[in-house]
Amino acid sequence: MALIYTARLDPDKPEWIRRRLVAHGLPADVTAEKVGSYRFDDPAGEIGVESMLVRVGDQLYQTAFAYRGDAPLEGDVVAEAEHSVLGHRWVVDAATDPDARRILAAAVRGEIPQARLEMHDESGTYLETRAPDLTLRVIGADATGELEVPVELSETDEADLDGPRCLIAEGDGVRAVVARLFLRGGPRGQRPRGPQDRSRRWLVSDMYSAMHQPRTVHPVSRFTQNTAHTLERPRTAAMAHGAR
């Protein structure tokens, strides 16, 4: 169960999404329409993980984030955000965050369930429990290999998917692979080759796999937008890192 507060974020989630898409190569004035999102709790109590699917024109994108209460030692920081309940938070590209990759890989293997959302107001009063607007399913028999977290998503039928273990997100009018296990050098897990191979579809995970050294944390500029949003509250003191 993910504990969520209705709160003010500065900068807000649309700005995080914009920055992530710009880093992926889209123009700075990109406008994205949210399709849905999914979350995972961290069994180790370190972070929160949320992924938001958006459309830009006809293309579906995934922006996956890790939420931290302390500055990360590794990973690409998308934003430093002020949360009206939790305080200062670091928002990290989940594909470059080691803890987020651990959680997502376990999810693809079917070891971690998708989180339901327990909603609270800013005072901590319980409001309701929500089902996520995207439902996740695991398919595929081969649960070995490296984690792939695509940014550009291809909407697909199940008939197109066999072999490697895949995590599929389904919602209103959408079905797409949001993570999978890739057998580097193996025929069953080998990514497709051809024009799409250089479309940056797997760019983030490729970069991470190629760089097994600690990543530099880059500071980002601040934006001021006091719009109501939600962010997961850590459920343990280890996750809070002093943010309570």
Side-chain angles (χ1 to χ4, degrees), residues 197-213:
D197 192 49
R198 301 318 316 161
S199 68
R200 298 192 301 274
R201 185 178 307 277
W202 305 97
L203 176 61
V204 173
S205 53
D206 283 349
M207 290 172 61
Y208 186 88
S209 298
M211 300 175 68
H212 294 292
Q213 301 297 323

Side-chain angles (χ1 to χ4, degrees), residues 123-207:
S123 70
T125 301
Y126 171 78
L127 300 175
E128 62 177 334
T129 298
R130 297 179 183 172
D133 49 14
L134 290 176
T135 301
L136 300 179
R137 291 191 300 110
V138 174
I139 69 168
D142 194 341
T144 60
E146 298 180 24
L147 177 70
E148 300 267 26
V149 185
V151 178
E152 295 179 34
L153 303 181
S154 295
E155 298 179 65
T156 183
D157 294 326
E158 279 192 39
D160 299 330
L161 304 171
D162 57 7
R165 186 68 62 86
C166 296
L167 189 66
I168 297 179
E170 296 177 310
D172 187 12
V174 62
R175 178 191 289 151
V177 175
V178 293
R180 73 170 187 170
L181 297 178
F182 166 69
L183 292 176
R184 188 170 297 279
R188 292 183 66 192
Q190 191 169 14
R191 72 167 63 87
R193 296 295 175 182
Q196 288 186 341
D197 192 49
R198 301 318 316 161
S199 68
R200 298 192 301 274
R201 185 178 307 277
W202 305 97
L203 176 61
V204 173
S205 53
D206 283 349
M207 290 172 61

Side-chain angles (χ1 to χ4, degrees), residues 194-237:
Q196 288 186 341
D197 192 49
R198 301 318 316 161
S199 68
R200 298 192 301 274
R201 185 178 307 277
W202 305 97
L203 176 61
V204 173
S205 53
D206 283 349
M207 290 172 61
Y208 186 88
S209 298
M211 300 175 68
H212 294 292
Q213 301 297 323
R215 301 178 68 87
T216 301
V217 175
H218 302 287
V220 297
S221 59
R222 297 291 186 85
F223 288 73
T224 301
Q225 298 180 12
N226 293 320
T227 308
H229 288 281
T230 60
L231 187 63
E232 179 176 353
R233 176 169 184 157
R235 297 188 62 88
T236 68

Side-chain angles (χ1 to χ4, degrees), residues 56-78:
V56 178
D58 294 330
Q59 177 63 52
L60 188 65
Y61 292 90
Q62 172 171 226
T63 56
F65 301 113
Y67 302 143
R68 291 185 170 273
D70 280 344
L73 299 178
E74 297 183 51
D76 296 337
V77 174
V78 177

Side-chain angles (χ1 to χ4, degrees), residues 28-39:
D29 61 351
V30 60
T31 299
E33 177 186 1
K34 185 178 176 182
V35 173
S37 63
Y38 62 89
R39 288 177 180 257

Side-chain angles (χ1 to χ4, degrees), residues 9-74:
L9 291 171
D10 172 20
D12 61 7
K13 288 186 179 181
E15 173 61 19
W16 308 349
I17 292 170
R18 186 196 69 81
R19 293 185 189 184
R20 185 65 199 88
L21 294 176
V22 170
H24 186 64
L26 276 68
D29 61 351
V30 60
T31 299
E33 177 186 1
K34 185 178 176 182
V35 173
S37 63
Y38 62 89
R39 288 177 180 257
F40 290 105
D41 288 328
D42 180 6
E46 292 295 329
I47 63 171
V49 175
E50 181 179 24
S51 182
M52 289 170 275
L53 273 56
V54 299
R55 288 193 189 278
V56 178
D58 294 330
Q59 177 63 52
L60 188 65
Y61 292 90
Q62 172 171 226
T63 56
F65 301 113
Y67 302 143
R68 291 185 170 273
D70 280 344
L73 299 178
E74 297 183 51

